[in-house]
Amino acid sequence: MNVLLSNSPQILVAKKLEMLETYKEYFIKVALLMRLMWFLLAIDVFVFAAKNELLFIILFYIIFSLQGFFASFANITWFNLILKLVPERQRSKFFGIRSSIGGLCETFGAFLMGRILRLLHFPYNYGLLFLISFLIMMLSLYIASMMKEIPIKKPKKEIDNKHYFRSMFLILKEDRNFVYYLFSVLFIGALGKMPFGFQTIFAKNSLSISTQHVAVATTILLFSQTVGYMLWGLIGSKYGFKSTLLISALIFLPAIYFTYLMSSVEIYYLSVALFGIAQSARNVNESNMAAKLCKDPLKQPSYIGLRNFLMGPFFAFNSIIAGSIIDILGKNLLFLISFSCMVLGFFILCFLVKEE
């Protein structure tokens, strides 16, 4: 629910963004609501986790779903604000540096989290983690509020919903290049990646790995993504966003194979590392690519919102689709389908999508 609500509702705010001359003020409002959900999660854990488990679980799902909903409004607003502030030739490098710093902070955060979980008893350990997250994100929001933004003149007339959603349909009908891009996202970013949600489960079934092995794999994932962010930021700035996504798809292919093979712990670690490097390219440049395909800068919110609206369900239910295939058709067919989707997505992106 969190993944679905953090993607699909973005189309609702895209219309508003097309009319705003500045984004920062609106971003601060919706980002504040998103951050407050972490504070409510902390309260839920502290107050109800030990005393009323059923109420705790119900509130947790509601609050965490709302966190995703408000994040969808905050994320698309923030991204369009960055598109406005950072020149196109510098965006890949910007997102690469930003994500690398984030990866290093995640590594430190994982270490700190482990210490807190060991030192404190439930529910105080988890409650403290949510509270710390809330405080750190409030600090980030204060820093973001200091950004300077120059207004852009936009039409003041209200866009009615009927006209707006008709324009969404026209984008899909008339912009064939963008439709090809959406298919590449579907096959590479969703269906092609189905086995990766089960990497640890496959390793546990095949190799009987321990908690320590999972901890090492998590560290490898964070490290490989951090290195990948720096790498893809440089490549994207020099050779374009499409090139990074194509190389990423090629790296996903051996990652799928090694996830299927799972013959040793080292192979498990290798599959995780390859996945981290490949996924970091999509994290850095997938939204950049969607914005680049929009010929009218004022329509960029609609393109990004439309992509996330259509792809959100596939991102959210990716693991459910994969699990159903395993249950009905078997593990081998899951890997065959995923490998085929990844190859198909690569060819669509390579030969049909034009980065102009």
Side-chain angles (χ1 to χ4, degrees):
M1 285 300 296
N2 182 275
V3 175
L4 178 66
L5 290 174
S6 63
N7 283 282
S8 292
Q10 290 189 18
I11 196 172
L12 301 176
V13 75
K15 184 182 87 166
K16 182 177 181 65
L17 295 181
E18 286 191 14
M19 300 178 61
L20 291 178
E21 295 184 353
T22 60
Y23 299 136
K24 190 178 79 170
E25 183 179 351
Y26 183 73
F27 165 71
I28 298 298
K29 292 178 182 177
V30 292
L32 178 61
L33 289 173
M34 184 265 285
R35 283 156 169 77
L36 284 175
M37 294 304 106
W38 295 105
F39 181 66
L40 293 180
L41 285 173
I43 293 177
D44 183 35
V45 174
F46 280 131
V47 176
F48 298 112
K51 296 180 181 179
N52 191 329
E53 293 182 355
L54 179 60
L55 180 59
F56 160 66
I57 290 295
I58 292 173
L59 288 176
F60 188 91
Y61 274 101
I62 292 173
I63 297 169
F64 197 53
S65 296
L66 286 174
Q67 190 276 335
F69 179 73
F70 290 125
S72 70
F73 286 70
N75 290 344
I76 188 173
T77 309
W78 178 85
F79 184 72
N80 279 279
L81 177 60
I82 294 303
L83 292 181
K84 185 178 176 184
L85 298 179
V86 180
E88 183 181 306
R89 65 183 182 280
Q90 297 293 330
R91 284 175 197 159
S92 186
K93 189 183 296 183
F94 167 82
F95 283 104
I97 294 172
R98 169 189 175 271
S99 300
S100 295
I101 295 172
L104 293 173
C105 292
E106 282 180 355
T107 304
F108 173 74
F111 171 78
L112 178 63
M113 180 184 69
R115 296 284 293 177
I116 292 174
L117 290 176
R118 283 194 297 269
L119 290 174
L120 298 177
H121 295 292
F122 181 83
Y124 303 105
N125 48 7
Y126 282 93
L128 181 59
L129 289 175
F130 286 127
L131 185 59
I132 292 173
S133 298
F134 166 71
L135 294 174
I136 291 174
M137 283 189 280
M138 288 302 294
L139 175 61
S140 77
L141 187 61
Y142 171 73
I143 295 172
S145 69
M146 294 189 286
M147 290 189 293
K148 306 297 182 184
E149 180 185 10
I150 299 174
I152 295 179
K153 283 291 182 183
K154 292 187 177 181
K156 291 290 185 181
K157 63 179 182 179
E158 182 71 31
I159 305 174
D160 64 272
N161 290 330
K162 184 178 180 181
H163 175 78
Y164 179 73
F165 286 108
R166 187 185 297 124
S167 69
M168 295 291 99
F169 175 76
L170 287 176
I171 290 175
L172 297 176
K173 183 179 179 181
E174 297 176 358
D175 195 338
R176 189 67 58 87
N177 195 38
F178 184 66
V179 172
Y180 287 143
Y181 162 74
L182 291 177
F183 276 112
S184 76
V185 174
L186 172 64
F187 290 121
I188 298 175
L191 301 180
K193 292 176 5 185
M194 287 190 292
F196 297 120
F198 295 84
Q199 275 179 317
T200 300
I201 296 174
F202 292 147
K204 201 169 183 62
N205 292 338
S206 303
L207 308 172
S208 300
I209 58 173
S210 65
T211 304
Q212 185 177 358
H213 290 125
V214 177
V216 172
T218 303
T219 303
I220 291 173
L221 177 63
L222 292 173
F223 178 76
S224 62
Q225 284 185 324
T226 301
V227 173
Y229 290 140
M230 293 185 285
L231 177 67
W232 302 122
L234 294 173
I235 294 176
S237 293
K238 190 170 184 179
Y239 299 105
F241 307 134
K242 178 180 170 179
S243 62
T244 65
L245 299 179
L246 286 172
I247 300 171
S248 166
L250 291 177
I251 298 175
F252 273 128
L253 293 175
I256 294 173
Y257 173 71
F258 288 125
T259 301
Y260 173 75
L261 187 63
M262 207 61 76
S263 56
S264 67
V265 173
E266 289 73 23
I267 293 296
Y268 168 51
Y269 291 157
L270 180 58
S271 69
V272 170
L274 289 173
F275 169 74
I277 293 173
Q279 181 59 33
S280 61
R282 302 198 67 81
N283 293 345
V284 169
N285 283 323
E286 188 174 319
S287 292
N288 280 324
M289 185 67 182
K292 179 72 179 291
L293 296 179
C294 179
K295 298 174 183 177
D296 181 2
L298 298 180
K299 288 289 183 181
Q300 285 176 343
S302 295
Y303 272 66
I304 297 167
L306 183 59
R307 184 206 59 182
N308 291 334
F309 170 72
L310 295 173
M311 295 296 110
F314 293 100
F315 296 148
F317 301 117
N318 191 27
S319 295
I320 295 178
I321 296 171
S324 300
I325 293 174
I326 293 174
D327 289 341
I328 298 172
L329 303 174
K331 172 184 168 183
N332 291 343
L333 206 56
L334 170 69
F335 282 93
L336 180 61
I337 292 172
S338 297
F339 196 91
S340 301
C341 286
M342 191 65 68
V343 171
L344 178 59
F346 171 83
F347 280 103
I348 291 174
L349 181 61
C350 184
F351 297 107
L352 298 179
V353 180
K354 308 298 180 184
E355 183 180 13
E356 299 173 357

